[in-house]
């Protein structure tokens, strides 16, 4: 009896996830404005028409990528909170910050976040996605850490500083200004 190996077709949801993962790399490299759906389709090994079947336009694809990145950030913060060695807000925030520092060592995720913040200035749908993502993260950090407003603000401010320090590779420059910016910042 001969057995045939059947090619298993992926579902639309699986294809959507593949396109999202591929689009993260494409958008990280060239940003929202510099990335085409053609480039994403080519990298994903599908037609541009299929990209449009999954996402009505580039904006909706980018918003889905931004949402996906916020989910990954939330997951890393959850892992950090679960690994905290105590329940004091400072301890929980420190563990979440460490988990986030590990996460953004993935430059693609870091770059997508930076590109999303830049695109949010002029693209209302991107702005709303970034706002909603931060709203969910702030409320999660508030609930998981028990920290006060100032501590939460400082936590996010240091996160933004981590973006800058990583984006400009400040650790590779030995100068007073870089030592000031990188003091106490963890990198992986």
């Amino acid at each position: 009896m001969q057995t045939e190996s059947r090619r298993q077709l992926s579902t639309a949801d699986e294809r959507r996830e593949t396109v999202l993962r591929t689009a993260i790399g494409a958008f990280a490299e060239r940003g929202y404005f510099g990335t085409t759906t053609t480039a994403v389709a080519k990298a994903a090994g599908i037609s541009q028409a299929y990209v449009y079947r999954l996402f009505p336009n580039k904006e909706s694809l980018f918003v889905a990528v931004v949402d996906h990145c916020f989910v990954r950030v939330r997951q890393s913060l959850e892992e950090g909170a679960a690994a905290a060695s105590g329940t004091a807000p400072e301890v929980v925030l420190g563990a979440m910050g460490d988990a986030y520092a590990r996460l953004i060592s993935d430059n693609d995720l870091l770059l997508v976040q930076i590109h999303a913040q830049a695109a949010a200035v002029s693209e209302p749908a991107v702005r709303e996605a970034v706002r909603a993502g931060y709203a969910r993260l702030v409320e999660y950090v508030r609930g998981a850490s028990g920290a006060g407003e100032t501590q939460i603000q400082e936590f996010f401010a240091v996160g933004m500083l981590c973006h800058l320090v990583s984006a400009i590779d400040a650790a590779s420059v030995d100068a007073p200004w870089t030592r000031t910016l990188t003091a106490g910042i963890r990198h992986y």
Side-chain angles (χ1 to χ4, degrees):
M1 180 160 135
Q2 185 180 14
T3 60
E4 290 182 28
S5 68
R6 292 185 189 166
R7 181 174 168 231
Q8 185 173 359
L9 298 176
S10 61
T11 66
D13 287 340
E14 289 168 338
R15 269 308 207 193
R16 186 177 165 86
E17 284 300 312
T18 298
V19 171
L20 279 175
R21 283 192 306 274
T22 302
I24 288 171
F27 284 120
E29 184 178 329
R30 303 205 36 101
Y32 174 70
F33 298 105
T35 303
T36 64
T37 55
T38 302
V40 172
K42 184 177 179 182
I46 61 175
S47 70
Q48 184 179 20
Y50 196 72
V51 170
Y52 283 120
R53 284 183 59 200
L54 298 171
F55 301 94
N57 52 43
K58 181 173 88 166
E59 180 182 81
S60 67
L61 172 59
F62 188 69
V63 165
V65 165
V66 169
D67 289 342
H68 179 79
C69 289
F70 273 110
V71 167
R72 288 185 60 201
V73 171
R74 166 74 182 255
Q75 289 168 341
S76 76
L77 296 178
E78 289 172 353
E79 291 166 7
S85 62
T87 58
E90 300 79 19
V91 173
V92 177
L93 290 172
M96 287 193 291
D98 188 60
Y100 183 71
R102 289 180 192 281
L103 177 68
I104 65 168
S105 67
D106 168 1
N107 279 337
D108 284 353
L109 183 87
L110 169 67
L111 290 171
V112 167
Q113 290 182 26
I114 292 170
H115 287 304
Q117 291 165 7
V121 172
S122 61
E123 300 298 317
V126 176
R127 182 180 314 122
E128 285 308 311
V130 172
R131 284 178 178 170
Y134 274 106
R136 289 188 303 270
L137 290 181
V138 168
E139 292 312 314
Y140 173 74
V141 168
R142 181 188 326 278
S145 70
E149 296 300 308
T150 301
Q151 290 172 302
I152 294 167
Q153 183 185 45
E154 288 173 3
F155 177 79
F156 281 93
V158 169
M160 293 297 120
L161 181 58
C162 287
H163 290 183
L164 172 65
V165 165
S166 295
I168 65 172
D169 194 17
S172 70
V173 177
D174 186 22
W177 69 271
T178 59
R179 287 190 293 278
T180 298
L181 290 181
T182 61
I185 303 286
R186 290 179 296 263
H187 295 283
Y188 295 98

